[in-house]
Amino acid sequence: MTAIYPGSFDPVTNGHIDIIRRALCFADHVVVGVVSQNVYKKGMFTQEERVGLLREALSGVDGSERMEIREFSGLLAEFFDECGADVVVRGIRSPIEYEYDLAQTLANRQMNPRLETIFLPANPAHVFLSSSIVKEIAAFGGDIGAMVPDCVQSAMRNKRQ
Ligand code: ADP
């Protein structure tokens, strides 16, 4: 089974990595799909930088040989077929996020009836963790060491200089 885990990953956090590890437990192959840009969110890192950080952060993860990081732009419903995927994986931190993602999933299914989605509940330790919060804390010089891999911490430090 091939699973796609799509997102902005701007930047990758320990919450994302937890979802990828868990997806690797039930999928033979996991494609981390990095969107070129999120229409509603202003990005900090370029797509290339986000991919580079994911690559570094995931290099030591068990099963990383069964994982692939791919860039995509446009519709997930189309990227799904391009990857020959069986399922989309999304992490869910709250009922509000579920509501939003459910609407997206239903729209995606309308475009591509083959597309199924598995929602993984966030690890309780990561429920309040988001790329936006990490960026906000880092902008004011706060400690993000427990929230992101080391490579992200130093990349964010470099961005601020
Ligand atoms: P998007 O802009 O597509 O939501 P994100 O990079 O913010 O992209 O998130 C990608 C996926 O990871 C989404 O399914 C999101 O819910 C999930 N996710 C983000 N942060 C966490 C976290 N702390 N724990 C679990 N899942 C998360």
Side-chain angles (χ1 to χ4, degrees):
M1 181 211 274
T2 295
I4 298 187
Y5 179 42
S8 328
F9 306 103
D10 186 42
V12 56
T13 69
N14 293 342
H16 295 130
I17 293 173
D18 184 66
I19 296 290
I20 294 167
R21 280 185 205 276
R22 288 161 62 192
L24 281 165
C25 294
F26 61 80
D28 307 301
H29 190 68
V30 174
V31 178
V32 182
V34 183
V35 292
S36 55
Q37 64 188 41
N38 184 311
V39 182
Y40 303 110
K41 295 182 198 166
K42 195 185 167 316
M44 178 177 210
F45 292 97
T46 65
Q47 190 179 28
E48 201 184 342
E49 287 171 330
R50 286 178 278 134
V51 167
L53 289 172
L54 270 161
R55 204 151 269 149
E56 205 172 332
L58 293 169
S59 59
V61 166
D62 267 0
S64 59
E65 69 286 353
R66 292 187 289 113
M67 195 182 62
E68 191 186 345
I69 301 163
R70 282 180 66 166
E71 300 180 8
F72 80 104
S73 54
L75 293 174
L76 177 61
E78 287 172 6
F79 183 60
F80 185 84
D81 280 344
E82 267 170 50
C83 295
D86 302 290
V87 74
V88 172
V89 171
R90 295 287 286 172
I92 298 292
R93 287 163 288 183
S94 69
I96 294 171
E97 186 162 45
Y98 174 69
E99 241 175 76
Y100 175 78
D101 257 44
L102 181 61
Q104 273 207 335
T105 294
L106 296 178
N108 284 334
R109 264 182 77 78
Q110 207 154 27
M111 290 182 270
N112 185 346
R114 225 175 55 75
L115 188 149
E116 290 290 357
T117 302
I118 293 180
F119 294 117
L120 294 181
N123 181 325
H126 300 142
V127 160
F128 298 107
L129 179 52
S130 69
S131 300
S132 313
I133 282 180
V134 164
K135 284 183 274 196
E136 224 168 292
I137 295 174
F140 295 106
D143 183 7
I144 54 165
M147 304 175 185
V148 294
D150 290 348
C151 59
V152 170
Q153 203 178 0
S154 36
M156 294 195 76
R157 212 175 288 130
N158 293 341
K159 277 270 175 203
R160 291 181 56 226
Q161 281 165 3

